[in-house]
Amino acid sequence: MFRMLSRFLVSLLSVALMSVPAASDANQAHDLVRKSLVYLTALGTPQTGDLVGVDDASESHATGFIVSSDGFVLTTEHFFEKLKEDNANRIKITGRIGDVKAQSISAQYISALESLDLVLLKLQLPYGQKRPAALTIGDTLSIDQSSPPKFLTSGFSGEAYKRRLAAFNDASNAEVSFAWTLNVKIGPGQSGSPVYLDDGTVVGVVKGTAKDDDEATLMIPIEYALPLIGHFRVIEMNRKIDWLLKTVGEVSDDDPPLHLRLNKVEANLEEIASNFSWEAESRRDGSLSVHYKKIIGGGPKIKKIHLSVQPHMKIRQPNADNIVISPMARLRLRTATDDPPIFELKKTRHDGRDGEFIIPDIQKKLKSLLSLTDGAVEGQRPFDHLELVITPILESDEKLPSTTIKEQLAYDWFE
């Protein structure tokens, strides 16, 4: 049922995406991307040097690009290098979307990956203003380096808008090991510009000119930015799934597929599910804690889980000394009719990045099973482990793919 519904949703999503005009050549791609470019300015008051105390005397410029329609902007962290050198305070950051003469919008520093030279900013978009379009984020992992595509880049050099065609040179660089080298010349202020394909999909971020060759440019592969921007992809996917569920409603297993490109659904749903890692832990009161950690903050929230618990016991073979690990029947966790049982989220921490579910009376139920099993190995650990099958349920009531984990029990069985 879940797979069929998921495929149906993705078929509609595919059709919806097909209605968006695609950039078919370099000029169309440049025009598409320009609407999401941001001309960035940072001003501060120097605390060192000849201009100590002069307001806004420390100044820096860069290009960034919109990664979320809420106004989040990705650029290079060395955008702030001049202000750091001047030990500047009273720093003001502004951005202009699409053009250096566009409305100036205040921005805030959100987070950075300094070792990768990446920073995330947030434009304070005026109330009621049309939201800017976020660029499509791709990756370099699928690029065939033996037959690379055309690379494009555009940004602001000084106050001039520049667009360039780039060629792949190498996927490594002696100066910056993780950076790709492209054959293209850029000017001051173009650091932070997106590198994209001819359909507008972003695959990298311009880091700067190579020190040993001013005709070459270093590019940071976009996947290095995922710790900063990955949750926007999860949020957008969840938003589309919610919208399609409300629009389409339930479907049956007999409903035929609507589109050929349906196999992508598993990857889409697994991308959301992969944002959560799961563990379980025995508790002194005899209950079991099942908890998750979110790899990336924000995005979809889990409100409850379906849970199946299967004990695996150490069983001594009749008339023999060898021991086998034998799976037993699933525990009956509740007297209600839910199968598998549903458990509600008990608490969250760290702004929702950690969540915990409490499963009561696990030790009691296992002791009852132990008393009925004459062949169980004597000793402090008659159970080898519990196998837990967890099916997360989001606030939208959408189910994510199930996850199976094992818990090595720490209860005292013979107290």
Side-chain angles (χ1 to χ4, degrees):
M1 175 65 181
F2 172 73
R3 288 176 180 269
M4 197 66 203
L5 175 59
S6 301
R7 289 174 179 172
F8 184 59
L9 293 175
V10 169
S11 69
L12 291 182
L13 180 57
S14 298
V15 172
L17 291 177
M18 287 174 64
S19 66
V20 178
S24 59
D25 57 28
N27 287 334
Q28 285 183 301
H30 286 314
D31 291 342
L32 177 70
V33 169
R34 180 170 183 174
K35 299 174 184 177
S36 301
L37 293 181
V38 183
Y39 175 68
L40 294 166
T41 301
L43 301 173
T45 303
Q47 300 302 297
T48 59
D50 297 334
L51 299 175
V52 171
V54 178
D55 290 343
D56 301 339
S58 185
E59 181 174 358
S60 181
H61 296 277
T63 301
F65 56 95
I66 301 289
V67 292
S68 165
S69 60
D70 291 331
F72 286 93
V73 177
L74 186 68
T75 188
T76 47
E77 199 273 338
H78 73 260
F79 169 44
F80 297 104
E81 186 174 330
K82 179 65 168 62
L83 283 77
K84 290 180 180 179
E85 291 175 357
D86 294 339
N87 193 25
N89 62 11
R90 298 200 290 275
I91 294 171
K92 295 179 290 188
I93 309 168
T94 59
R96 300 174 187 266
I97 302 173
D99 194 283
V100 296
K101 296 181 180 179
Q103 177 186 5
S104 179
I105 303 172
S106 295
Q108 291 179 333
Y109 177 101
I110 300 298
S111 186
L113 296 169
E114 292 190 25
S115 61
L116 298 174
D117 195 17
L118 293 169
V119 66
L120 186 67
L121 308 175
K122 173 70 164 62
L123 295 174
Q124 303 304 302
L125 298 175
Y127 178 77
Q129 177 175 303
K130 182 180 178 180
R131 292 188 171 191
L135 294 182
T136 300
I137 303 300
D139 62 67
T140 63
L141 304 177
S142 58
I143 292 176
D144 183 358
Q145 297 176 20
S146 64
S147 181
K150 292 187 299 183
F151 292 99
L152 308 171
T153 186
S154 56
F156 301 102
S157 179
E159 293 191 351
Y161 166 71
K162 302 288 187 180
R163 52 174 67 186
R164 294 284 186 267
L165 177 66
F168 174 76
N169 183 296
D170 201 342
S172 63
N173 182 271
E175 179 185 337
V176 181
S177 60
F178 61 85
W180 286 27
T181 307
L182 304 180
N183 293 330
V184 63
K185 187 171 184 176
I186 62 168
Q190 287 185 261
S191 293
S193 298
V195 177
Y196 44 96
L197 306 180
D198 61 7
D199 64 354
T201 299
V202 177
V203 295
V205 182
V206 170
K207 177 175 173 61
T209 300
K211 289 182 178 179
D212 58 353
D213 184 356
D214 63 5
E215 299 288 334
T217 291
L218 302 183
M219 180 194 86
I220 305 167
I222 193 62
E223 53 267 26
Y224 284 102
L226 287 181
L228 293 176
I229 66 173
H231 59 295
F232 297 130
R233 299 175 68 177
V234 176
I235 290 170
E236 180 63 15
M237 179 59 65
N238 190 59
R239 185 191 66 79
K240 291 177 180 177
I241 290 175
D242 287 348
W243 178 83
L244 288 169
L245 278 171
K246 292 175 182 177
T247 303
V248 177
E250 295 293 331
V251 296
S252 71
D253 291 341
D254 297 327
D255 288 331
L258 299 181
H259 199 275
L260 294 176
R261 292 185 293 173
L262 298 180
N263 292 331
K264 292 182 180 180
V265 65
E266 302 303 330
N268 292 337
L269 294 170
E270 288 173 5
E271 181 175 1
I272 296 176
S274 65
N275 193 33
F276 300 88
S277 63
W278 293 87
E279 294 179 347
E281 184 178 4
S282 310
R283 289 163 50 99
R284 290 186 177 181
D285 63 2
S287 64
L288 187 71
S289 168
V290 178
H291 48 93
Y292 67 78
K293 291 182 181 295
K294 297 186 72 173
I295 300 171
I296 301 172
K301 296 180 180 179
I302 293 174
K303 70 172 182 178
K304 54 189 176 183
I305 58 172
H306 281 166
L307 182 66
S308 171
V309 178
Q310 184 178 42
H312 285 62
M313 293 190 70
K314 297 177 180 177
I315 303 295
R316 188 186 303 279
Q317 296 293 289
N319 304 318
D321 292 331
N322 61 308
I323 296 170
V324 297
I325 307 301
S326 178
M328 312 301 288
R330 290 186 307 158
L331 293 183
R332 186 175 177 82
L333 301 180
R334 285 187 173 182
T335 57
T337 57
D338 295 330
D339 187 25
I342 297 175
F343 294 91
E344 301 286 340
L345 182 66
K346 289 297 182 182
K347 64 179 180 180
T348 60
R349 299 176 298 175
H350 305 129
D351 197 25
R353 292 185 64 159
D354 296 356
E356 183 177 35
F357 302 81
I358 302 298
I359 319 303
D361 300 326
I362 291 292
Q363 184 181 20
K364 180 180 178 181
K365 295 177 187 298
L366 291 172
K367 280 189 173 182
S368 296
L369 176 62
L370 184 60
S371 67
L372 299 174
T373 310
D374 295 334
V377 175
E378 295 183 2
Q380 297 301 311
R381 297 190 62 187
F383 293 95
D384 183 73
H385 67 273
L386 296 182
E387 183 177 277
L388 283 71
V389 180
I390 304 163
T391 304
I393 304 173
L394 302 176
E395 288 183 333
S396 61
D397 289 328
E398 177 75 5
K399 293 180 183 178
L400 294 181
S402 298
T403 297
T404 301
I405 63 172
K406 294 181 179 180
E407 158 62 4
Q408 304 294 329
L409 297 166
Y411 298 126
D412 186 349
W413 301 106
F414 305 102
E415 56 185 357

